[in-house]
mmCIF file of all heavy atoms in Angstrom:
data_model
loop_
_atom_site.group_PDB
_atom_site.id
_atom_site.type_symbol
_atom_site.label_atom_id
_atom_site.label_comp_id
_atom_site.label_asym_id
_atom_site.label_seq_id
_atom_site.Cartn_x
_atom_site.Cartn_y
_atom_site.Cartn_z
ATOM 1 N N ASN A 1 0.803 -1.235 0.042
ATOM 2 C CA ASN A 1 -0.024 0.046 -0.020
ATOM 3 C C ASN A 1 0.821 1.292 -0.003
ATOM 4 O O ASN A 1 0.415 2.318 0.325
ATOM 5 C CB ASN A 1 -0.951 0.002 1.199
ATOM 6 C CG ASN A 1 -0.280 0.077 2.561
ATOM 7 O OD1 ASN A 1 0.887 -0.432 2.630
ATOM 8 N ND2 ASN A 1 -0.802 0.733 3.543
ATOM 9 N N ILE A 2 2.089 1.139 -0.456
ATOM 10 C CA ILE A 2 3.017 2.289 -0.438
ATOM 11 C C ILE A 2 2.456 3.386 -1.356
ATOM 12 O O ILE A 2 2.780 4.613 -1.044
ATOM 13 C CB ILE A 2 4.435 1.926 -0.864
ATOM 14 C CG1 ILE A 2 5.471 2.934 -0.322
ATOM 15 C CG2 ILE A 2 4.550 1.679 -2.338
ATOM 16 C CD1 ILE A 2 5.662 2.856 1.206
ATOM 17 N N TYR A 3 1.733 3.124 -2.324
ATOM 18 C CA TYR A 3 1.215 4.113 -3.270
ATOM 19 C C TYR A 3 0.096 4.889 -2.700
ATOM 20 O O TYR A 3 -0.426 5.803 -3.340
ATOM 21 C CB TYR A 3 0.722 3.406 -4.641
ATOM 22 C CG TYR A 3 2.013 3.135 -5.482
ATOM 23 C CD1 TYR A 3 2.278 1.914 -5.938
ATOM 24 C CD2 TYR A 3 2.938 4.152 -5.788
ATOM 25 C CE1 TYR A 3 3.365 1.554 -6.828
ATOM 26 C CE2 TYR A 3 4.054 3.863 -6.686
ATOM 27 C CZ TYR A 3 4.194 2.586 -7.109
ATOM 28 O OH TYR A 3 5.292 2.339 -7.908
ATOM 29 N N GLU A 4 -0.345 4.539 -1.404
ATOM 30 C CA GLU A 4 -1.308 5.463 -0.821
ATOM 31 C C GLU A 4 -0.669 6.757 -0.409
ATOM 32 O O GLU A 4 -1.406 7.778 -0.212
ATOM 33 C CB GLU A 4 -1.877 4.730 0.509
ATOM 34 C CG GLU A 4 -2.703 3.503 0.217
ATOM 35 C CD GLU A 4 -3.139 2.839 1.538
ATOM 36 O OE1 GLU A 4 -2.828 3.413 2.663
ATOM 37 O OE2 GLU A 4 -3.745 1.791 1.424
ATOM 38 N N LEU A 5 0.711 6.843 -0.434
ATOM 39 C CA LEU A 5 1.326 8.048 -0.196
ATOM 40 C C LEU A 5 1.567 8.839 -1.473
ATOM 41 O O LEU A 5 1.500 8.270 -2.463
ATOM 42 C CB LEU A 5 2.822 7.729 0.414
ATOM 43 C CG LEU A 5 2.911 7.010 1.795
ATOM 44 C CD1 LEU A 5 4.318 6.646 2.089
ATOM 45 C CD2 LEU A 5 2.305 7.886 2.869
ATOM 46 N N PRO A 6 1.654 10.154 -1.436
ATOM 47 C CA PRO A 6 1.822 10.943 -2.630
ATOM 48 C C PRO A 6 3.082 10.384 -3.422
ATOM 49 O O PRO A 6 4.097 10.301 -2.865
ATOM 50 C CB PRO A 6 2.058 12.428 -2.176
ATOM 51 C CG PRO A 6 1.516 12.405 -0.734
ATOM 52 C CD PRO A 6 1.651 11.035 -0.176
ATOM 53 N N ASN A 7 2.866 10.113 -4.622
ATOM 54 C CA ASN A 7 3.941 9.442 -5.435
ATOM 55 C C ASN A 7 4.244 10.074 -6.762
ATOM 56 O O ASN A 7 3.290 10.776 -7.373
ATOM 57 C CB ASN A 7 3.728 7.916 -5.531
ATOM 58 C CG ASN A 7 2.339 7.675 -6.201
ATOM 59 O OD1 ASN A 7 2.311 7.556 -7.437
ATOM 60 N ND2 ASN A 7 1.360 7.415 -5.373
ATOM 61 N N SER A 8 5.345 9.789 -7.294
ATOM 62 C CA SER A 8 5.743 10.325 -8.669
ATOM 63 C C SER A 8 6.792 9.325 -9.225
ATOM 64 O O SER A 8 7.210 8.386 -8.696
ATOM 65 C CB SER A 8 6.295 11.719 -8.549
ATOM 66 O OG SER A 8 6.529 12.234 -9.861
ATOM 67 N N ILE A 9 7.074 9.653 -10.500
ATOM 68 C CA ILE A 9 8.093 8.860 -11.195
ATOM 69 C C ILE A 9 9.342 9.756 -11.468
ATOM 70 O O ILE A 9 9.201 10.935 -11.534
ATOM 71 C CB ILE A 9 7.538 8.293 -12.544
ATOM 72 C CG1 ILE A 9 7.217 9.376 -13.488
ATOM 73 C CG2 ILE A 9 6.438 7.320 -12.221
ATOM 74 C CD1 ILE A 9 6.731 8.808 -14.895
ATOM 75 N N SER A 10 10.470 9.035 -11.731
ATOM 76 C CA SER A 10 11.734 9.736 -12.059
ATOM 77 C C SER A 10 12.296 9.055 -13.325
ATOM 78 O O SER A 10 12.190 7.923 -13.500
ATOM 79 C CB SER A 10 12.718 9.636 -10.884
ATOM 80 O OG SER A 10 14.031 10.064 -11.234
ATOM 81 N N ASN A 11 12.935 9.984 -14.173
ATOM 82 C CA ASN A 11 13.594 9.428 -15.373
ATOM 83 C C ASN A 11 14.957 8.895 -15.127
ATOM 84 O O ASN A 11 15.709 8.412 -16.009
ATOM 85 C CB ASN A 11 13.648 10.425 -16.493
ATOM 86 C CG ASN A 11 14.498 11.675 -16.131
ATOM 87 O OD1 ASN A 11 15.134 11.660 -15.068
ATOM 88 N ND2 ASN A 11 14.554 12.607 -17.034
ATOM 89 N N LEU A 12 15.324 8.895 -13.853
ATOM 90 C CA LEU A 12 16.725 8.205 -13.478
ATOM 91 C C LEU A 12 16.561 6.669 -13.610
ATOM 92 O O LEU A 12 15.565 6.158 -13.154
ATOM 93 C CB LEU A 12 17.096 8.616 -12.069
ATOM 94 C CG LEU A 12 17.456 10.094 -11.867
ATOM 95 C CD1 LEU A 12 17.503 10.506 -10.399
ATOM 96 C CD2 LEU A 12 18.725 10.464 -12.601
ATOM 97 N N ARG A 13 17.541 6.064 -14.158
ATOM 98 C CA ARG A 13 17.426 4.659 -14.443
ATOM 99 C C ARG A 13 18.291 3.805 -13.575
ATOM 100 O O ARG A 13 19.357 4.170 -13.169
ATOM 101 C CB ARG A 13 17.845 4.396 -15.939
ATOM 102 C CG ARG A 13 16.939 5.088 -16.934
ATOM 103 C CD ARG A 13 17.485 5.090 -18.295
ATOM 104 N NE ARG A 13 18.863 5.665 -18.360
ATOM 105 C CZ ARG A 13 19.731 5.500 -19.414
ATOM 106 N NH1 ARG A 13 19.269 4.842 -20.460
ATOM 107 N NH2 ARG A 13 20.852 6.025 -19.397
ATOM 108 N N LEU A 14 17.763 2.628 -13.309
ATOM 109 C CA LEU A 14 18.374 1.678 -12.352
ATOM 110 C C LEU A 14 18.872 0.463 -13.149
ATOM 111 O O LEU A 14 18.176 -0.179 -13.882
ATOM 112 C CB LEU A 14 17.513 1.257 -11.265
ATOM 113 C CG LEU A 14 18.007 0.348 -10.100
ATOM 114 C CD1 LEU A 14 19.133 1.016 -9.404
ATOM 115 C CD2 LEU A 14 16.910 -0.009 -9.162
ATOM 116 N N GLN A 15 20.241 0.139 -12.947
ATOM 117 C CA GLN A 15 20.791 -1.047 -13.715
ATOM 118 C C GLN A 15 20.750 -2.234 -12.778
ATOM 119 O O GLN A 15 21.174 -2.153 -11.660
ATOM 120 C CB GLN A 15 22.202 -0.719 -14.055
ATOM 121 C CG GLN A 15 22.296 0.443 -15.023
ATOM 122 C CD GLN A 15 23.817 0.861 -15.248
ATOM 123 O OE1 GLN A 15 24.428 1.249 -14.255
ATOM 124 N NE2 GLN A 15 24.362 0.770 -16.365
ATOM 125 N N HIS A 16 20.251 -3.382 -13.219
ATOM 126 C CA HIS A 16 20.200 -4.637 -12.462
ATOM 127 C C HIS A 16 21.046 -5.670 -13.039
ATOM 128 O O HIS A 16 20.850 -6.110 -14.254
ATOM 129 C CB HIS A 16 18.725 -5.107 -12.464
ATOM 130 C CG HIS A 16 18.553 -6.384 -11.733
ATOM 131 N ND1 HIS A 16 17.648 -7.465 -12.129
ATOM 132 C CD2 HIS A 16 19.154 -6.854 -10.560
ATOM 133 C CE1 HIS A 16 17.814 -8.504 -11.308
ATOM 134 N NE2 HIS A 16 18.603 -8.069 -10.310
ATOM 135 N N PHE A 17 22.119 -6.060 -12.312
ATOM 136 C CA PHE A 17 23.125 -6.932 -12.799
ATOM 137 C C PHE A 17 22.899 -8.334 -12.317
ATOM 138 O O PHE A 17 23.761 -9.230 -12.400
ATOM 139 C CB PHE A 17 24.493 -6.454 -12.405
ATOM 140 C CG PHE A 17 24.904 -5.170 -13.202
ATOM 141 C CD1 PHE A 17 24.720 -3.985 -12.608
ATOM 142 C CD2 PHE A 17 25.428 -5.175 -14.432
ATOM 143 C CE1 PHE A 17 25.114 -2.771 -13.147
ATOM 144 C CE2 PHE A 17 25.851 -4.115 -15.118
ATOM 145 C CZ PHE A 17 25.644 -2.796 -14.483
ATOM 146 N N GLY A 18 21.708 -8.541 -11.793
ATOM 147 C CA GLY A 18 21.394 -9.866 -11.201
ATOM 148 C C GLY A 18 21.310 -11.058 -12.213
ATOM 149 O O GLY A 18 21.165 -12.172 -11.881
ATOM 150 N N TRP A 19 21.301 -10.753 -13.543
ATOM 151 C CA TRP A 19 21.255 -11.783 -14.546
ATOM 152 C C TRP A 19 22.564 -11.664 -15.464
ATOM 153 O O TRP A 19 22.562 -12.202 -16.567
ATOM 154 C CB TRP A 19 20.009 -11.609 -15.461
ATOM 155 C CG TRP A 19 18.802 -11.522 -14.639
ATOM 156 C CD1 TRP A 19 18.015 -10.391 -14.204
ATOM 157 C CD2 TRP A 19 18.051 -12.529 -14.164
ATOM 158 N NE1 TRP A 19 16.971 -10.755 -13.524
ATOM 159 C CE2 TRP A 19 16.864 -12.151 -13.442
ATOM 160 C CE3 TRP A 19 18.188 -14.001 -14.225
ATOM 161 C CZ2 TRP A 19 15.967 -12.966 -12.858
ATOM 162 C CZ3 TRP A 19 17.212 -14.831 -13.660
ATOM 163 C CH2 TRP A 19 16.141 -14.284 -12.940
ATOM 164 N N ALA A 20 23.602 -10.992 -15.046
ATOM 165 C CA ALA A 20 24.631 -10.586 -15.951
ATOM 166 C C ALA A 20 25.652 -11.515 -16.386
ATOM 167 O O ALA A 20 26.593 -11.158 -17.068
ATOM 168 C CB ALA A 20 25.228 -9.308 -15.383
ATOM 169 N N ASN A 21 25.625 -12.760 -15.883
ATOM 170 C CA ASN A 21 26.524 -13.808 -16.450
ATOM 171 C C ASN A 21 25.797 -15.097 -16.371
ATOM 172 O O ASN A 21 24.881 -15.451 -15.579
ATOM 173 C CB ASN A 21 27.765 -13.779 -15.682
ATOM 174 C CG ASN A 21 27.772 -14.270 -14.319
ATOM 175 O OD1 ASN A 21 27.297 -15.384 -13.964
ATOM 176 N ND2 ASN A 21 28.243 -13.446 -13.385
ATOM 177 N N PRO A 22 26.213 -16.085 -17.165
ATOM 178 C CA PRO A 22 25.508 -17.452 -17.275
ATOM 179 C C PRO A 22 25.495 -18.203 -15.957
ATOM 180 O O PRO A 22 24.440 -18.879 -15.758
ATOM 181 C CB PRO A 22 26.395 -18.147 -18.383
ATOM 182 C CG PRO A 22 27.080 -17.070 -19.150
ATOM 183 C CD PRO A 22 27.254 -15.995 -18.137
ATOM 184 N N ASP A 23 26.525 -18.142 -15.198
ATOM 185 C CA ASP A 23 26.456 -18.929 -13.886
ATOM 186 C C ASP A 23 25.379 -18.380 -12.938
ATOM 187 O O ASP A 23 24.692 -19.191 -12.300
ATOM 188 C CB ASP A 23 27.839 -18.813 -13.195
ATOM 189 C CG ASP A 23 28.931 -19.546 -13.983
ATOM 190 O OD1 ASP A 23 28.555 -20.461 -14.800
ATOM 191 O OD2 ASP A 23 30.124 -19.217 -13.769
ATOM 192 N N ILE A 24 25.220 -17.043 -12.885
ATOM 193 C CA ILE A 24 24.154 -16.432 -12.011
ATOM 194 C C ILE A 24 22.803 -16.844 -12.602
ATOM 195 O O ILE A 24 21.947 -17.220 -11.756
ATOM 196 C CB ILE A 24 24.368 -14.948 -11.975
ATOM 197 C CG1 ILE A 24 25.616 -14.620 -11.281
ATOM 198 C CG2 ILE A 24 23.094 -14.280 -11.383
ATOM 199 C CD1 ILE A 24 25.889 -13.070 -11.177
ATOM 200 N N ARG A 25 22.657 -16.815 -13.918
ATOM 201 C CA ARG A 25 21.356 -17.108 -14.478
ATOM 202 C C ARG A 25 21.023 -18.521 -14.220
ATOM 203 O O ARG A 25 19.824 -18.899 -13.809
ATOM 204 C CB ARG A 25 21.392 -16.833 -15.980
ATOM 205 C CG ARG A 25 21.451 -15.469 -16.308
ATOM 206 C CD ARG A 25 21.063 -15.095 -17.752
ATOM 207 N NE ARG A 25 22.094 -15.591 -18.689
ATOM 208 C CZ ARG A 25 23.115 -14.882 -19.071
ATOM 209 N NH1 ARG A 25 23.393 -13.618 -18.517
ATOM 210 N NH2 ARG A 25 23.989 -15.324 -19.984
ATOM 211 N N LEU A 26 21.927 -19.497 -14.305
ATOM 212 C CA LEU A 26 21.697 -20.879 -14.018
ATOM 213 C C LEU A 26 21.380 -21.091 -12.526
ATOM 214 O O LEU A 26 20.382 -21.874 -12.202
ATOM 215 C CB LEU A 26 22.923 -21.712 -14.336
ATOM 216 C CG LEU A 26 22.795 -23.242 -14.179
ATOM 217 C CD1 LEU A 26 21.571 -23.859 -14.958
ATOM 218 C CD2 LEU A 26 24.066 -23.957 -14.556
ATOM 219 N N GLU A 27 21.973 -20.431 -11.661
ATOM 220 C CA GLU A 27 21.764 -20.553 -10.179
ATOM 221 C C GLU A 27 20.350 -20.033 -9.895
ATOM 222 O O GLU A 27 19.633 -20.625 -9.130
ATOM 223 C CB GLU A 27 22.775 -19.692 -9.437
ATOM 224 C CG GLU A 27 22.540 -19.632 -7.888
ATOM 225 C CD GLU A 27 23.433 -18.777 -7.190
ATOM 226 O OE1 GLU A 27 24.535 -18.429 -7.761
ATOM 227 O OE2 GLU A 27 23.026 -18.260 -6.153
ATOM 228 N N LYS A 28 19.958 -18.917 -10.500
ATOM 229 C CA LYS A 28 18.593 -18.381 -10.213
ATOM 230 C C LYS A 28 17.500 -19.277 -10.811
ATOM 231 O O LYS A 28 16.447 -19.504 -10.223
ATOM 232 C CB LYS A 28 18.481 -16.921 -10.844
ATOM 233 C CG LYS A 28 19.216 -15.856 -9.979
ATOM 234 C CD LYS A 28 18.750 -14.525 -10.310
ATOM 235 C CE LYS A 28 19.408 -13.489 -9.464
ATOM 236 N NZ LYS A 28 18.913 -12.049 -9.804
#
């Protein structure tokens, strides 16, 4: 219910490296 608070979006981007190599992908 966090969106019950006043909210907005930002054009700043977030990089997610949790899939960034084959070993990690296989483990996940």
Side-chain angles (χ1 to χ4, degrees):
N1 64 329
I2 201 72
Y3 282 125
E4 292 177 4
L5 298 171
N7 58 85
S8 184
I9 61 174
S10 168
N11 65 359
L12 294 166
R13 300 170 300 169
L14 184 60
Q15 300 169 299
H16 177 220
F17 291 96
W19 307 98
N21 70 54
D23 292 338
I24 292 177
R25 292 195 289 273
L26 179 60
E27 177 188 335
K28 285 194 172 184

